[in-house]
Amino acid sequence: MADERTRYFRRLGKLRRSARRWSVLAGGLGGATAILTPYAGIGLGDAAWAAAAGAATALAAWRWSDLRTLAAQPAPPALDPAQAAARSRARLVAAVERLPAGAGVVNEVRRARSRSALRGTTAAGPWERLDRAAATMAGMSVRLTGLAEPAVAEAAEAERSLRELASRVASVERAVRLAPADARPPLAEAHQALTGQLADGVAAYERLVVAAAGYLAEEYRPELEHPAAARLTEATDLLHGFASALAELRPAPPPLPPDTPTAQLC
């Protein structure tokens, strides 16, 4: 999609071409009216020629007026290449997210990029734990309604904060590696404090996920037997009753005479 500056000049060129086209058409119709009216006398056809010439002239005048008004406005400034690239990337991401499985693909790409950025740092391990816990929480968030909705919102905010903290830990750790010897102790101390905050935060988030799973288990655990299992048990007992009744109603075979030879029974 074009930026504001490109759209401005595109619209300016479109108005200029339209004004020229209507000017040529108005000139042609006006010339035809001026020649044909005296040649054959004034009639119904001459009125049509004159009306068409007048309409084309009015449209040409309006187009030239719109062109002058637009040309008097200053052109939008050109975009910085970085801003243009960011806008193009945002539009591409938005187009992919509108696809059926686009949102999941975009999220997976973002997680992979974050994982590669933290690779080799002490924040990689807590980030992996946070990612697994966040995926579990995302699968349960749809069913966490009612009293659990504030906890879901708090979990989403905590996840964003912890991911930002993980990136900060990785940045400070890289700075410690590049810093001179006299500047390393303060940075190392700050890095140690941030790492402790990240570990405590990830552990608290995992406990929240476990509590959410326990809430779901207690909410959906029935006190009695599941209705589907109860209906299946009743149907099984009913079929057993029918089978027993049919067996009792079936007539018994007649008794054999006492002088019947044993060979005939075989």
Side-chain angles (χ1 to χ4, degrees):
M1 187 180 295
D3 56 2
E4 295 293 333
R5 184 178 178 85
T6 303
R7 284 197 295 267
Y8 171 82
F9 285 108
R10 186 179 297 171
R11 185 184 176 194
L12 194 66
K14 184 177 179 180
L15 280 175
R16 184 179 291 110
R17 290 190 298 271
S18 178
R20 290 174 178 174
R21 184 167 55 250
W22 283 109
S23 298
V24 172
L25 184 59
L29 291 174
T33 303
I35 294 174
L36 295 177
T37 299
Y39 179 76
I42 299 176
L44 186 60
D46 301 315
W49 281 105
T57 303
L59 285 173
W62 286 338
R63 289 294 181 269
W64 284 111
S65 176
D66 294 340
L67 178 62
R68 286 191 296 269
T69 301
L70 183 62
Q73 299 176 3
L79 281 179
D80 184 72
Q83 294 179 355
R87 287 191 177 185
S88 300
R89 185 165 53 251
R91 295 191 187 101
L92 178 60
V93 170
V96 173
E97 286 181 342
R98 285 194 293 268
L99 297 175
V105 173
V106 172
N107 291 334
E108 185 61 31
V109 170
R110 288 173 178 170
R111 284 197 296 269
R113 185 174 58 184
S114 301
R115 188 184 301 111
S116 62
L118 299 178
R119 187 174 300 167
T121 64
T122 55
W127 193 93
E128 291 285 349
R129 291 167 50 198
L130 176 63
D131 195 45
R132 290 193 296 267
T136 305
M137 190 68 182
M140 297 187 298
S141 60
V142 180
R143 297 184 295 273
L144 291 172
T145 58
L147 298 176
E149 288 183 357
V152 175
E154 186 66 26
E157 183 63 28
E159 180 190 353
R160 288 191 293 268
S161 178
L162 289 173
R163 291 188 186 278
E164 181 182 355
L165 181 59
S167 300
R168 191 178 306 174
V169 169
S171 300
V172 173
E173 184 173 348
R174 294 189 182 97
V176 170
R177 297 172 183 173
L178 298 176
D182 56 345
R184 286 183 181 178
L187 287 177
E189 184 179 355
H191 175 263
Q192 186 177 2
L194 291 175
T195 304
Q197 292 179 6
L198 179 61
D200 295 341
V202 172
Y205 188 87
E206 289 174 340
R207 288 194 296 270
L208 176 63
V209 174
V210 172
Y215 173 81
L216 284 180
E218 291 297 330
E219 184 183 14
Y220 289 94
R221 185 173 63 180
E223 297 180 358
L224 302 175
E225 189 179 5
H226 195 276
R231 289 194 297 268
L232 290 175
T233 303
E234 293 176 359
T236 303
D237 295 339
L238 183 63
L239 289 177
H240 279 306
F242 285 158
S244 301
L246 290 175
E248 293 177 358
L249 293 176
R250 181 178 300 168
L256 296 175
D259 56 349
T260 303
T262 308
Q264 294 180 2
L265 297 177
C266 300

